[in-house]
Amino acid sequence: LIAGGDVATSGSYSANGLLGLGGRIDITGQSVRLLSTQIAARGYKQGGLVRIGGAFQGSAADRVARADYERFEGRFGSLPRLANASTTFVNDGVAIDVSAVRGIGGGAVIWSDKRTTMLGALRATGPRGGGTAEVSGKDELRYVDLTTINTGVGGNLLLDPSFITIGNFAEASSWQYAAIVGGAGLPGVARV
């Protein structure tokens, strides 16, 4: 789902690979709001790839020189360029599953250039090795519950924005309300 404007969805998206590799699901636009969205790109031998709001490291040209490039993006082959969202919001009712039945977990990227808020669940597990998840952005990452992300044994979770905003449950509820009605960020949070 690639949009030139804003994207707000509570839909279900599936690209499961029953006997081989999981598929790829891309969702991006000027702003992206996943409200109660269910996304599955599971695979038998390897989980698939889900990119929300942008690609690995925001498609930065130097990302291919990173030591972890192959693990996060390179192993999925040639990928189309993906426009970056300005803001990305993933609500607590969202579930993203890029797990594998017999092999290694897949990968997921949650990205934006200005503000990424991640409250949802993400699973990238596999019995032969965990997968990858990048939950980040160029500027600010607002993140609440690390326990909802499972990259499995040997998996990788990358958080590397310019700022991480630490909030509590009350602030997360305010973030949800603002995202649902399309409002901007709220004051009263610490940036580190």
Side-chain angles (χ1 to χ4, degrees), residues 25-108:
I25 297 173
D26 295 334
I27 300 175
T28 195
Q30 180 59 36
S31 73
V32 176
R33 292 179 288 158
L34 304 183
L35 303 176
S36 59
T37 311
Q38 304 302 300
I39 300 172
R42 295 182 299 269
Y44 189 78
K45 295 179 181 177
Q46 176 181 292
L49 176 64
V50 170
R51 302 184 300 174
I52 308 297
F56 177 62
Q57 292 290 284
S59 296
D62 63 352
R63 76 190 186 287
V64 298
R66 290 179 54 112
D68 56 359
Y69 171 76
E70 181 62 28
R71 180 115 167 105
F72 276 86
E73 187 176 68
R75 67 184 169 129
F76 296 102
S78 179
L79 298 169
R81 185 161 173 79
L82 194 61
N84 293 341
S86 176
T87 60
T88 297
F89 175 83
V90 179
N91 203 8
D92 63 355
V94 173
I96 300 168
D97 189 350
V98 292
S99 60
V101 175
R102 294 270 186 208
I104 63 171

Side-chain angles (χ1 to χ4, degrees), residues 91-185:
N91 203 8
D92 63 355
V94 173
I96 300 168
D97 189 350
V98 292
S99 60
V101 175
R102 294 270 186 208
I104 63 171
V109 175
I110 313 297
W111 177 272
S112 76
D113 282 345
K114 290 185 181 176
R115 185 181 60 249
T116 303
T117 303
M118 173 61 175
L119 307 175
L122 193 153
R123 183 172 177 228
T125 61
R128 295 188 184 251
T132 60
E134 178 185 22
V135 180
S136 197
K138 193 171 185 179
D139 187 22
E140 179 186 6
L141 171 62
R142 296 193 305 190
Y143 191 86
V144 174
D145 190 358
L146 288 173
T147 64
T148 63
I149 293 182
N150 184 358
T151 58
V153 176
N156 295 98
L157 172 61
L158 176 62
L159 310 170
D160 68 342
S162 296
F163 299 97
I164 294 178
T165 300
I166 299 170
N168 60 31
F169 182 76
E171 287 166 339
S173 295
S174 297
W175 297 341
Q176 289 172 314
Y177 177 76
I180 289 168
V181 298

